[in-house]
Amino acid sequence: MDNDLEKMAAQCRTFTKEMVDNPYRGLATFFGLPYTESLDNLDIALIGVPIDLGVTDRSGTRMGPRALRNESRGVGAYNHCTRSTPCTAHRIADVGDVPFRSVYRIEEALDDISAYYRGIAAAGVTPVTAGGDHSITFPILQGLAPKEKVCLVHFDSHCDTAPPIHGCGYTHGSPMKNTVEAGLVDAEHSLQIGIRGSSEPLWEFSSASGMRVIHIEEFYEMGWKGAVKEIHDLVGDSPVYLSFDIDCLDPAFAPGTGTPVAGGMSTFEALQMVRGMQGLDVIGGDLVEVSPPYDHAGITALAGATLLFEILCRAAEARERRGA
Ligand SMILES: [Mn+2]
């Protein structure tokens, strides 16, 4: 065994015993990490937000965190691209799911999310979140209340900048508009990648606010390396939040989602872009819209968990660079 492999094997042994011995045993936590509800002495928290009150079509993403926990048991702990095991270099735990007072009133539920993330921010913890539908990204950023506007790197088939739908301004079709209007996101240094489909007329706000929208056709012209370059050029050293809607992937790779749109990117291309975000000051991220009732053989949850691990790695690297 060469030195790196020996080091990796030693680091992996610090995981929960079940993960090393029998990945199918025990309670499923994200990546087999320890479970704790306390935010004390943590660097990074894996958080579930099991809610789907914001969907415009098929429900089911409230079951997303549980499916992602299950599939994540086969993901990590070693990142073969960065040759690192971030979960042992940092204090990282699965802190469970955001508690809700009620799951029948979306405004109240989103308030519960922002309250929870205020606690995350106060504890100095970097959040890596598993949704839930995409409406959760707005209250997450509200709760984090960054001192300066953050850049947003948003992977999706939809821009999610819709005006109110049936009188409701807080759906999974509008979180990116909400974050910009609330002064949380620097629209002119934000990107939306993978956009396609018939909802285009709803996304006027994206171009009006100056967001860089990379439709899937342009993405295929430039390739993932070109997209990564644009991300770095536009974001630079600024703090950035990464939001990944699994429906960015083609339904062949991620059928288990509420609003699938044919003609998307592959899991590999998505992974390469998130890997390409090494060096950015990632303050947190989310992986949303995995809907287990529409999934087959866990294919969508596995893609989601693998992307979630890469998001976690970027968050860990950013903390290292900040010396946090
Ligand atoms: Mn979305």
Side-chain angles (χ1 to χ4, degrees), residues 145-317:
K147 287 189 192 72
E148 54 181 302
K149 286 184 184 181
V150 297
C151 305
L152 182 72
V153 178
H154 169 209
F155 296 92
D156 208 314
S157 66
H158 313 85
C159 286
D160 293 353
T161 49
I165 298 169
H166 298 304
C168 184
Y170 305 100
T171 70
H172 75 161
S174 55
M176 305 320 173
K177 178 171 181 278
N178 297 335
T179 54
V180 171
E181 287 183 335
L184 297 163
V185 161
D186 177 356
E188 293 182 352
H189 294 91
S190 293
L191 302 93
Q192 305 187 289
I193 303 169
I195 309 305
R196 61 192 185 274
S198 59
S199 306
E200 192 71 23
L202 292 172
W203 315 140
E204 196 181 351
F205 181 87
S206 291
S207 50
S209 62
M211 301 174 101
R212 171 70 171 111
V213 179
I214 301 179
H215 287 91
I216 194 70
E217 297 78 13
E218 187 181 1
F219 170 77
Y220 269 96
E221 288 292 324
M222 64 167 64
W224 63 263
K225 287 181 183 172
V228 164
K229 184 178 183 307
E230 276 221 32
I231 293 170
H232 282 272
D233 287 350
L234 209 51
V235 171
D237 297 330
S238 303
V240 58
Y241 186 84
L242 202 172
S243 188
F244 201 108
D245 185 324
I246 202 70
D247 76 20
C248 180
L249 303 184
D250 189 273
F253 298 92
T257 192
T259 51
V261 185
M265 65 182 68
S266 70
T267 309
F268 177 73
E269 288 163 326
L271 285 168
Q272 289 299 87
M273 280 189 286
V274 180
R275 287 167 181 155
M277 288 177 67
Q278 285 176 58
L280 296 185
D281 189 23
V282 175
I283 63 149
D286 58 53
L287 186 292
V288 298
E289 297 284 349
V290 170
S291 186
Y294 295 96
D295 207 2
H296 302 278
I299 181 175
T300 312
L302 176 61
T306 310
L307 285 158
L308 192 67
F309 181 67
E310 289 296 334
I311 295 171
L312 168 62
C313 290
R314 299 299 85 75
E317 293 153 9

Side-chain angles (χ1 to χ4, degrees), residues 10-196:
Q11 286 172 331
C12 286
R13 277 194 286 274
T14 66
F15 273 70
T16 51
K17 194 173 181 310
E18 287 84 358
M19 182 165 184
V20 178
D21 294 344
N22 307 111
Y24 53 88
R25 281 173 60 90
L27 301 176
T29 62
F30 290 116
F31 312 112
L33 287 162
Y35 173 77
T36 174
E37 288 182 12
S38 168
L39 300 178
D40 296 337
N41 304 312
L42 274 188
D43 298 318
I44 300 173
L46 273 296
I47 306 159
V49 186
I51 196 153
D52 54 15
L53 288 180
V55 299
T56 49
D57 195 1
R58 310 187 299 188
S59 59
T61 59
R62 66 178 61 187
M63 267 81 88
R66 183 161 288 183
L68 287 162
R69 281 189 173 96
N70 196 32
E71 291 299 332
S72 77
R73 298 301 305 274
V75 178
Y78 182 63
N79 187 320
H80 77 277
C81 293
T82 58
R83 298 178 78 85
S84 63
T85 51
C87 298
T88 52
H90 299 268
R91 298 170 300 176
I92 309 179
D94 183 334
V95 297
D97 293 338
V98 169
F100 292 107
R101 286 168 292 174
S102 166
V103 290
Y104 298 107
R105 293 180 289 275
I106 188 167
E107 284 88 349
E108 188 179 293
L110 299 190
D111 282 347
D112 290 340
I113 297 171
S114 58
Y116 185 87
Y117 282 80
R118 276 198 295 278
I120 292 284
V125 172
T126 301
V128 176
T129 302
D133 75 58
H134 220 157
S135 65
I136 68 173
T137 300
F138 174 47
I140 287 173
L141 280 168
Q142 266 185 319
L144 295 179
K147 287 189 192 72
E148 54 181 302
K149 286 184 184 181
V150 297
C151 305
L152 182 72
V153 178
H154 169 209
F155 296 92
D156 208 314
S157 66
H158 313 85
C159 286
D160 293 353
T161 49
I165 298 169
H166 298 304
C168 184
Y170 305 100
T171 70
H172 75 161
S174 55
M176 305 320 173
K177 178 171 181 278
N178 297 335
T179 54
V180 171
E181 287 183 335
L184 297 163
V185 161
D186 177 356
E188 293 182 352
H189 294 91
S190 293
L191 302 93
Q192 305 187 289
I193 303 169
I195 309 305
R196 61 192 185 274

